[in-house]
Amino acid sequence: MKSILLIGLGRFGRHIAAKLDELGHQVMAIDIKEDRVDAVLPFVTNAQIGDSTNEDFLGSLGVRNFDVCIVAIGGNFQNSLETTSLLKELGAKLVVSRAERDVQAKFLLRNGADEVVYPEKQMANWTAIRYSADHIFDYIELTEEYAIFEVEVPKEWLGKTIGEIDIRRKYNINIMATKKNGELNITISPDVKFTEGQTMLVLGSNKDIQKCFHI
């Protein structure tokens, strides 16, 4: 369990608060708007109404004591940048800030952010890849070059084992799991045989996966 300071309670911040609550973490939530603070009260350990660009207010929260400080402010980059900078000046251990564009990420990283997240960009990438081909069911980007795809098992692989197809040697791709009727099987060996209605989670470079599965 971690202690987390969450600043900015718009839609993105509220989703974070709800998920952190589900995962059992302790969350202090901050926003300048009372209605937003009220909306997350069921999901957080504590919440305060305040201006995160005010150094005295931010300092009163004891940011050094939190394992992670998340700046989820959207729509006002100046406030996000000032909050990020103040958090680092006040001794925050780990600052994760939201960016909407690459140029914002550069400024945030130069002014105190340890890491940057792109909710809109990441969701746009996922949507474009997920719905651009009928045989792709999920996608997780690991780096700019590598990703995990959930894909339909090619028809020519049905009835054959992983060992018979020799996927790793031929395609430079690792099969991490198979999935059928919502059940995930992570016990992967050369003897695993592909069956109708099955999907698989594969790890590899985007280039290799796209070539292998005609994405």
Side-chain angles (χ1 to χ4, degrees):
M1 181 177 67
K2 289 189 175 183
S3 59
I4 297 170
L5 176 62
L6 175 61
I7 301 174
L9 303 174
R11 282 176 294 180
F12 181 53
R14 288 197 299 273
H15 284 303
I16 293 175
K19 190 61 180 181
L20 289 172
D21 174 60
E22 182 183 323
L23 295 171
H25 297 295
Q26 292 184 337
V27 181
M28 162 74 84
I30 305 296
D31 198 281
I32 200 167
K33 295 184 178 181
E34 183 177 358
D35 59 328
R36 291 183 173 183
V37 172
D38 290 341
V40 301
L41 287 176
F43 309 113
V44 300
T45 310
N46 198 356
Q48 289 193 34
I49 303 166
D51 181 0
S52 61
T53 65
N54 183 299
E55 185 174 356
D56 291 335
F57 170 72
L58 207 58
S60 71
L61 302 176
V63 298
R64 293 175 180 269
N65 299 320
F66 293 95
D67 296 307
V68 185
C69 296
I70 301 175
V71 182
I73 298 171
N76 191 326
F77 180 64
Q78 183 64 33
N79 283 357
S80 177
L81 186 62
E82 289 183 24
T83 300
T84 298
S85 180
L86 282 174
L87 284 169
K88 188 54 68 173
E89 289 176 9
L90 291 167
K93 297 174 185 175
L94 176 63
V95 180
V96 180
S97 299
R98 173 186 182 175
E100 297 174 1
R101 298 190 298 276
D102 290 341
V103 66
Q104 292 183 355
K106 291 178 181 179
F107 278 109
L108 289 165
L109 290 168
R110 289 174 183 172
N111 289 275
D114 296 294
E115 296 184 25
V116 171
V117 293
Y118 292 81
E120 290 86 359
K121 181 178 179 180
Q122 289 162 348
M123 182 51 67
N125 288 344
W126 183 89
T127 302
I129 292 171
R130 166 65 179 85
Y131 293 103
S132 62
D134 294 335
H135 57 291
I136 301 174
F137 296 90
D138 205 351
Y139 162 80
I140 302 171
E141 183 179 281
L142 302 178
T143 69
E144 290 185 358
E145 295 183 3
Y146 290 87
I148 298 171
F149 283 75
E150 181 184 352
V151 296
E152 185 178 43
V153 176
K155 290 182 179 180
E156 59 269 25
W157 292 10
L158 296 177
K160 298 180 180 179
T161 67
I162 292 176
E164 288 173 336
I165 298 168
D166 201 8
I167 295 168
R168 183 178 296 178
R169 186 181 65 82
K170 288 182 179 178
Y171 303 102
N172 199 30
I173 291 170
N174 291 301
I175 296 179
M176 302 177 64
T178 59
K179 188 176 179 182
K180 190 171 184 179
N181 298 325
E183 294 188 6
L184 194 68
N185 176 24
I186 60 173
T187 306
I188 299 300
S189 72
D191 299 326
V192 170
K193 182 179 291 187
F194 292 118
T195 60
E196 188 78 35
Q198 200 173 44
T199 62
M200 55 186 174
L201 274 67
V202 296
L203 167 65
S205 72
N206 292 320
K207 182 179 178 181
D208 290 331
I209 292 174
Q210 288 167 2
K211 181 179 179 180
C212 179
F213 299 104
H214 309 292
I215 298 172

